[in-house]
Amino acid sequence: MAKRDAQKLAEVLASARPLQRPTLPTDADPESRLTPGQRTGLDYSREKYADESYQVNPGKDPSITSFMGAIDQTPEGDFINYPLFVDGKVTDRKAALQRAFDYEEKTGKKFARYPTVKDAEWGEMQVVHPIMDADSQKVLATPEAQKRLRNAK
């Protein structure tokens, strides 16, 4: 019993340690630290900016949606971070997960996989999201995005 409890505690403590340090505003090249899967998510988001299929969200604090991540377990047992934003809108998880697998098959690039949900949340929110947020602020400042925000009100 004590051995099993010790093993369980070791697993919990191991999963609590982040796999990467957070992205910092002072990082000279934060993208160089991304895993290939994190890069796939960032590239997906940037594709939506490039083809202007992102969604504008008007309001007091306007924003842009180009990814809107979700985390689910894969058939292999790890946890995938994948976009709910598909074809210009947020879609349901089941359909979005299938589209993510289709995207991977089509492009040969896999979205980020993590050993636990906690690791997935950390990797996405502390490492990738700051880069995506900086991208969205740049796009939000463009005349095209400003026009779309005015027309969405």
Side-chain angles (χ1 to χ4, degrees), residues 92-153:
D92 70 273
R93 291 175 84 103
K94 186 175 179 182
L97 182 57
Q98 185 55 55
R99 291 294 296 267
F101 290 143
D102 293 345
Y103 179 88
E104 290 179 337
E105 189 174 315
K106 176 182 171 189
T107 64
K109 300 185 292 182
K110 290 195 175 287
F111 288 105
R113 304 294 205 279
Y114 299 91
T116 68
V117 170
K118 189 177 271 188
D119 289 328
E121 290 170 346
W122 172 268
E124 296 305 314
M125 294 309 296
Q126 300 298 321
V127 180
V128 182
H129 193 266
I131 299 167
M132 285 184 173
D133 189 49
D135 284 354
S136 72
Q137 294 306 310
K138 289 175 191 170
V139 172
L140 198 55
T142 66
E144 173 61 27
Q146 290 298 309
K147 179 181 172 187
R148 288 175 64 180
L149 278 169
R150 282 190 304 277
N151 292 338
K153 293 181 181 179

Side-chain angles (χ1 to χ4, degrees), residues 36-122:
Q38 290 169 331
R39 165 63 60 191
T40 297
L42 183 60
D43 289 348
Y44 179 93
S45 175
R46 288 178 173 168
E47 288 169 13
K48 304 307 150 208
Y49 294 143
D51 68 16
E52 297 182 351
S53 65
Y54 60 88
Q55 174 181 302
V56 295
N57 308 305
K60 188 178 131 198
D61 294 317
S63 64
I64 295 174
T65 302
S66 63
F67 189 84
M68 189 176 279
I71 299 168
D72 278 303
Q73 195 165 23
T74 67
E76 297 77 29
D78 51 8
F79 294 86
I80 181 175
N81 179 267
Y82 63 96
L84 292 175
F85 189 77
V86 179
D87 296 331
K89 64 184 182 305
V90 177
T91 190
D92 70 273
R93 291 175 84 103
K94 186 175 179 182
L97 182 57
Q98 185 55 55
R99 291 294 296 267
F101 290 143
D102 293 345
Y103 179 88
E104 290 179 337
E105 189 174 315
K106 176 182 171 189
T107 64
K109 300 185 292 182
K110 290 195 175 287
F111 288 105
R113 304 294 205 279
Y114 299 91
T116 68
V117 170
K118 189 177 271 188
D119 289 328
E121 290 170 346
W122 172 268

